[in-house]
């Protein structure tokens, strides 16, 4: 809604301390609570598709739009010919998939799974334990036996999850 | 040409008369009471009138907005997003429960869905985090007729604009010169007074004079900012041999506290005007000024503070342990240095009312001179000061725990949010140790359970 965009814009300006009109990676890294998030760097990366160095407000809002709560009437009234809105279930899932799939090849290989796991646990877990967890996870989700998890397999293994609620952030009016 | 002459002298006469009137006003109503520490109550009356005007102004803006059917921008102090305060474990368990169809046994391991928790938390902090907003001025609920705090400019009616224009006139043409004159008087009196007192021989008389010169000058400075201060619990005021700690919002805090009590200041040696003031103050009574190079050496700092505190004839030290200016909605981490010394700590909570003028110094946005000008062109600076009962470090507490205890007491009294974050985050990035804690928590979930599995 209009009011929420205004609030996001204020937030954008507050983060853009040197008033450049765009955000760089460093501006986002400065947020304390984000820096302690184990996946903080990956999340920051998702704001810079195509490896750019800056994100303007349109890009900022676009990424955050993935987290807009899903309105039931949206689904009913939607014109099937138009592209899906950014906050649909599929697009939310795709956003999460991108956090795993760093080289954007459409599959999460065992190696990429290991990398994400390593980020989340730091130095607390040994390499063998981590590898066995990664192997098991890929095995469980992998249906066509290619040793990697594609987006469809990812969606399938999470079909019962209430993604709409878990990946939504509601902005106060 | 000849016609101009009588007009000239008329203007000169008028100027002369108005200046004399101004100075008499200054003297009678402001400086004399400052010397003796009494108050006529003019400032409180001023404050009440202003409050009524602000309430009227807000009503008009709301009415105007309703007529045009637009929504007013209402600022939120609690953040712009709806957050659930649950812990990492609870959230991840819930995510897994809703995703998997199998019964929840006590040994769940890594699931693909775990990533959602971190992802969402990360996004939430990008949209709104506790720390970044503490370093910009607080947003007001109702407008206070200063253009610098207005977000709804388009909804003002003619009457309101006139009122605003009147306000600008009063503030810039009447109040500002008055305040600058007062500030000038106050500072010069301080420098001259303390230098003169410095020539007296050491003894009771010198102390008496020094105390009163300091108090008098600070009181004049307080009036220079039109600061309306309410002191609570004055019986808990700091005594000799103690350390007074307070939350830090701006350099004005010093003036506010020092006008009610006689303290020894701690700080870096500056050049310029500040340096002159510092050197003069030291002549009258011992303050602690550090050279820039000494500040880095923590042991030296601690040693000097300890020496000062142990000498019971010396004044209580005034310290702001946050280390930087915070915007007065929260209290950030206290640096443990001053709590290691082992003296009695007298906590003081300072809370400003931002409606009359926001006292927060955003040092990355404004320099000192701009800041002081902004202060002097606001309506007033209204604040409350609470003197809390003294605290001593218990035997089983270390300095950090003691610092946190004092911080919570101050936050509770002042109605501020108690944060664990370091004020240094204003300029630097956060340390990695905090990230490791989150990682530890998470790995306990997936590996601690792994151990159970291998056993069974």
């Amino acid at each position: 809604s209009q009011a929420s965009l205004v609030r996001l814009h204020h937030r954008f300006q507050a983060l853009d301390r040197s008033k450049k009109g765009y955000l760089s990676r460093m501006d986002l890294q400065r947020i304390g609570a984000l820096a302690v998030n184990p996946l903080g760097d990956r999340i920051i990366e998702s704001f810079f598709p195509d490896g750019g160095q800056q994100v303007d407000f349109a890009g900022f809002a676009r990424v955050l739009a993935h987290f807009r709560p899903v309105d039931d009437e949206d689904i009913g009234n939607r014109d099937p010919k138009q592209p899906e809105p950014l906050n649909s279930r599929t697009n939310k899932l795709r956003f999460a998939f991108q956090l795993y799939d760093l080289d954007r090849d459409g599959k999460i290989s065992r190696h990429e799974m290991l990398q994400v796991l390593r980020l989340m646990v730091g130095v607390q877990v040994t390499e063998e334990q981590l590898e066995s967890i990664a192997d098991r996870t890929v095995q469980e989700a992998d249906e066509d036996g290619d040793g990697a998890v594609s987006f469809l397999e990812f969606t399938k293994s999470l079909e019962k999850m209430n993604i709409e609620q878990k990946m939504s952030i509601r902005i106060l009016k | 040409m000849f016609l101009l002459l009588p007009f000239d002298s008329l203007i000169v006469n008028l100027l002369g008369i108005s200046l004399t009137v101004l100075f008499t006003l200054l003297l009678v109503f402001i400086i004399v009471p400052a010397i003796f520490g009494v108050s006529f109550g003019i400032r409180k009356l001023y404050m009440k009138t202003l409050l009524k005007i602000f309430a009227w102004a807000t009503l008009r803006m709301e009415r105007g907005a309703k007529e045009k059917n637009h929504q007013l921008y209402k600022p939120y102090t609690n953040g712009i997003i709806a957050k659930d305060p649950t812990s990492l474990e609870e959230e991840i368990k819930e995510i897994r429960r809703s995703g998997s169809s199998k019964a929840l046994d006590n040994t769940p391991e890594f699931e693909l869905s775990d990533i959602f928790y971190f992802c969402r938390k990360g996004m939430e902090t990008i949209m709104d985090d506790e720390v970044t907003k503490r370093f910009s001025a607080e947003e007001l609920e109702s407008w206070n007729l200063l253009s610098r705090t207005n977000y709804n400019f388009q909804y003002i009616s003619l009457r309101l604009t006139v009122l605003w224009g009147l306000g600008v006139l009063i503030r810039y043409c009447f109040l500002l010169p008055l305040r600058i004159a007062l500030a000038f008087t106050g500072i010069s009196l301080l420098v001259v007074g303390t230098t003169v007192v410095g020539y007296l021989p050491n003894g009771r008389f010198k102390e008496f004079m020094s105390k009163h010169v300091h108090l008098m000058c600070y009181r004049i400075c307080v009036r220079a900012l039109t600061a309306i201060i309410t002191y609570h619990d004055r019986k808990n005021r700091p005594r000799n041999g103690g350390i007074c700690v307070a939350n830090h919002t701006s350099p004005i805090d010093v003036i506010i506290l020092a006008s009610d009590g006689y303290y020894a200041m701690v700080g870096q040696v500056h050049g310029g005007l500040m340096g002159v003031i510092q050197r003069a103050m030291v002549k009258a009574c011992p303050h602690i000024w550090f050279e820039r190079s000494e500040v880095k050496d923590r042991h030296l700092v601690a040693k000097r503070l300890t020496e000062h505190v142990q000498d019971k004839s010396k004044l209580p030290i005034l310290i702001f342990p946050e280390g930087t200016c915070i915007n007065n909605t929260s209290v950030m981490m206290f640096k443990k240095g001053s709590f290691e010394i082992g003296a009695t700590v007298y906590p003081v909570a300072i809370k400003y009312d931002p409606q009359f003028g926001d006292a927060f110094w955003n040092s990355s946005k404004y320099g000192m001179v701009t800041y002081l000008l902004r202060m002097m062109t606001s309506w007033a600076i209204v604040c409350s000061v609470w003197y809390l009962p003294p605290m001593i470090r218990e035997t089983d507490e270390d300095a950090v725990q003691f610092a946190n205890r004092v911080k919570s007491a101050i936050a509770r009294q002042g109605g501020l949010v108690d944060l664990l974050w370091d004020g240094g985050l204003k300029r630097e990035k956060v340390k990695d140790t905090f990230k490791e804690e989150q990682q530890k928590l998470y790995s306990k979930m997936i590996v601690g359970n792994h151990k159970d599995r291998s056993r069974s």
Side-chain angles (χ1 to χ4, degrees):
Chain A
S1 69
Q2 181 77 345
S4 320
L5 268 179
V6 171
R7 287 193 189 289
L8 276 182
H9 191 66
H10 274 268
R11 175 69 180 166
F12 181 82
Q13 282 174 329
L15 287 174
D16 178 16
R17 284 196 212 176
S18 21
K19 300 281 176 268
K20 308 183 289 293
Y22 57 83
L23 290 178
S24 68
R25 281 187 182 77
M26 230 184 53
D27 289 319
L28 288 173
Q29 276 165 355
R30 244 197 288 241
I31 305 177
L34 189 61
V36 305
N37 188 322
L39 291 178
D41 285 326
R42 289 273 174 115
I43 296 179
I44 294 179
E45 210 46 52
S46 64
F47 278 91
F48 300 91
D50 320 317
Q53 292 302 320
Q54 317 165 349
V55 58
D56 59 359
F57 182 60
F60 185 70
R62 207 173 302 130
V63 172
L64 288 176
H66 284 286
F67 288 83
R68 198 153 62 88
V70 177
D71 275 333
D72 286 321
E73 44 178 75
D74 272 352
I75 301 181
N77 296 342
R78 209 164 56 76
D79 179 0
K81 291 209 204 75
Q82 281 182 346
E84 264 179 65
L86 277 173
N87 63 336
S88 72
R89 187 193 166 86
T90 324
N91 277 324
K92 286 194 208 275
L93 279 169
R94 196 181 293 276
F95 187 78
F97 189 77
Q98 273 175 356
L99 286 177
Y100 277 109
D101 183 18
L102 207 54
D103 55 5
R104 308 283 163 96
D105 61 355
K107 288 188 200 289
I108 308 176
S109 67
R110 181 174 162 282
H111 183 62
E112 288 170 339
M113 181 75 70
L114 253 180
Q115 278 182 325
V116 175
L117 274 169
R118 179 54 69 192
L119 273 180
M120 289 206 267
V121 304
V123 298
Q124 309 293 326
V125 178
T126 64
E127 188 70 25
E128 300 90 47
Q129 280 174 320
L130 221 56
E131 281 188 11
S132 61
I133 296 179
D135 281 331
R136 196 190 55 80
T137 319
V138 173
Q139 249 178 351
E140 276 181 10
D142 191 13
E143 289 184 352
D144 54 8
D146 59 354
V149 182
S150 74
F151 183 59
L152 281 165
E153 291 161 353
F154 184 70
T155 319
K156 192 116 179 281
S157 71
L158 293 171
E159 63 187 347
K160 292 208 186 55
M161 167 142 341
N162 188 356
I163 304 273
E164 289 89 342
Q165 200 220 7
K166 290 299 164 193
M167 291 268 280
S168 296
I169 304 177
R170 195 166 55 87
I171 301 185
L172 294 170
K173 285 241 178 301
Chain B
M1 266 287 261
F2 296 104
L3 284 172
L4 280 172
L5 276 174
F7 283 126
D8 260 356
S9 60
L10 189 66
I11 293 176
V12 168
N13 274 341
L14 273 176
L15 214 61
I17 294 178
S18 53
L19 272 176
T20 331
V21 167
L22 197 68
F23 276 122
T24 330
L25 269 178
L26 260 187
L27 209 64
V28 172
F29 280 111
I30 302 178
I31 298 192
V32 169
I35 300 182
F36 294 108
V38 293
S39 167
F40 275 132
I42 300 181
R43 286 176 286 157
K44 293 226 161 60
L45 190 66
Y46 172 62
M47 191 171 97
K48 283 200 195 94
T49 330
L50 277 178
L51 271 173
K52 288 205 194 95
I53 299 182
F54 293 160
W56 180 82
T58 323
L59 269 166
R60 290 235 36 123
M61 284 222 303
E62 283 176 357
R63 218 184 303 161
K66 235 178 272 185
E67 281 166 18
K68 302 196 185 146
N69 242 348
H70 288 176
Q71 252 192 350
L72 265 186
Y73 173 90
K74 272 210 189 305
Y76 270 105
T77 40
N78 281 336
I80 63 173
I81 48 185
K83 284 194 197 156
D84 302 310
T86 45
S87 70
L88 188 149
E89 280 194 34
E90 285 171 23
E91 277 261 352
I92 295 198
K93 277 209 186 94
E94 227 212 83
I95 296 180
R96 290 179 179 168
R97 204 179 309 141
S98 68
S100 63
S101 48
K102 54 188 183 223
L104 185 70
D105 46 358
N106 273 334
T107 58
E109 291 169 8
F110 175 69
E111 298 277 343
L112 280 173
S113 50
D114 288 345
I115 199 177
F116 289 138
Y117 169 75
F118 288 114
C119 185
R120 174 158 146 215
K121 269 266 169 292
M123 280 303 169
E124 278 181 354
T125 57
I126 291 188
M127 288 174 92
D128 192 16
D129 76 310
E130 282 294 323
V131 174
T132 322
K133 65 186 182 206
R134 307 293 174 192
F135 295 129
S136 60
E138 192 182 349
E139 293 186 351
L140 292 172
E141 304 252 335
S142 61
W143 190 40
N144 64 349
L145 290 177
L146 294 174
S147 58
R148 59 185 82 142
T149 54
N150 193 352
Y151 309 106
N152 276 316
F153 232 121
Q154 57 264 52
Y155 300 124
I156 302 180
S157 64
L158 182 65
R159 260 187 261 182
L160 218 53
T161 324
V162 165
L163 197 62
W164 173 76
L166 204 65
V168 168
L169 212 69
I170 295 180
R171 279 184 295 125
Y172 279 85
C173 303
F174 174 58
L175 287 177
L176 184 63
L178 190 68
R179 286 175 182 165
I180 294 187
L182 275 175
F184 197 63
T185 325
I187 296 182
S188 33
L189 264 179
L190 183 66
V191 173
V192 167
T194 45
T195 323
V196 164
V197 169
Y199 286 124
L200 292 174
N202 282 343
R204 293 263 318 265
F205 183 61
K206 177 176 181 179
E207 282 202 30
F208 177 74
M209 282 306 293
S210 164
K211 178 171 179 180
H212 283 272
V213 164
H214 272 105
L215 280 177
M216 178 182 85
C217 299
Y218 282 121
R219 278 198 278 253
I220 298 183
C221 287
V222 159
R223 279 159 173 79
L225 294 164
T226 318
I228 306 172
I229 313 173
T230 324
Y231 295 101
H232 302 261
D233 298 327
R234 289 180 84 210
K235 60 183 186 305
N236 287 327
R237 273 195 310 176
R239 302 206 185 107
N240 280 7
I243 303 185
C244 176
V245 303
N247 56 321
H248 199 32
T249 307
S250 90
I252 295 182
D253 292 343
V254 175
I255 302 183
I256 289 181
L257 284 180
S259 63
D260 190 47
Y262 188 31
Y263 300 101
M265 312 273 167
V266 177
Q268 260 186 15
V269 169
H270 287 106
L273 181 63
M274 278 297 296
V276 172
I277 300 179
Q278 284 177 334
R279 281 192 292 272
M281 283 169 74
V282 163
K283 293 203 184 101
C285 76
H287 295 280
I288 307 179
W289 303 120
F290 289 106
E291 298 290 332
R292 215 164 278 266
S293 50
E294 289 174 345
V295 171
K296 298 268 167 65
D297 187 350
R298 287 183 48 197
H299 290 293
L300 192 64
V301 170
K303 194 160 85 85
R304 277 183 74 176
L305 287 175
T306 323
E307 275 171 9
H308 185 107
V309 153
Q310 277 163 355
D311 184 349
K312 288 287 177 224
S313 70
K314 295 207 177 142
L315 309 161
I317 309 181
L318 182 59
I319 290 189
F320 296 103
E322 277 168 318
T324 184
C325 294
I326 314 290
N327 80 343
N328 208 238
T329 54
S330 68
V331 183
M332 296 219 183
M333 191 175 97
F334 277 3
K335 304 233 183 318
K336 63 180 181 355
S338 26
F339 296 93
E340 285 172 335
I341 298 179
T344 323
V345 169
Y346 296 90
V348 177
I350 309 180
K351 177 86 179 106
Y352 289 89
D353 186 349
Q355 266 209 318
F356 296 93
D358 195 321
F360 169 58
W361 182 30
N362 194 341
S363 52
S364 46
K365 228 173 156 187
Y366 307 111
M368 179 62 121
V369 179
T370 327
Y371 169 69
L372 282 175
L373 273 176
R374 277 172 68 97
M375 285 298 100
M376 293 198 183
T377 53
S378 327
W379 293 112
I381 309 228
V382 179
C383 63
S384 303
V385 175
W386 283 274
Y387 291 104
L388 296 169
M391 295 179 157
I392 316 179
R393 192 170 98 185
E394 316 264 337
T395 36
D396 55 347
E397 272 190 322
D398 68 345
V400 175
Q401 287 168 328
F402 183 40
N404 282 337
R405 192 159 63 95
V406 173
K407 179 159 69 84
S408 310
I410 293 185
R412 215 176 320 135
Q413 180 64 271
L416 306 165
V417 175
D418 186 2
L419 290 179
L420 288 170
W421 295 98
D422 187 351
L425 279 180
K426 200 183 197 179
R427 293 186 193 93
E428 304 149 3
K429 281 164 57 161
V430 79
K431 292 201 210 92
D432 281 327
T433 39
F434 295 108
K435 193 196 253 190
E436 281 171 19
E437 288 202 20
Q438 283 260 317
Q439 287 173 328
K440 244 188 259 183
L441 262 177
Y442 181 63
S443 37
K444 243 188 273 183
M445 277 205 86
I446 60 175
V447 173
N449 299 327
H450 203 79
K451 286 212 192 87
D452 286 345
R453 197 165 192 252
S454 58
R455 243 185 283 144
S456 66

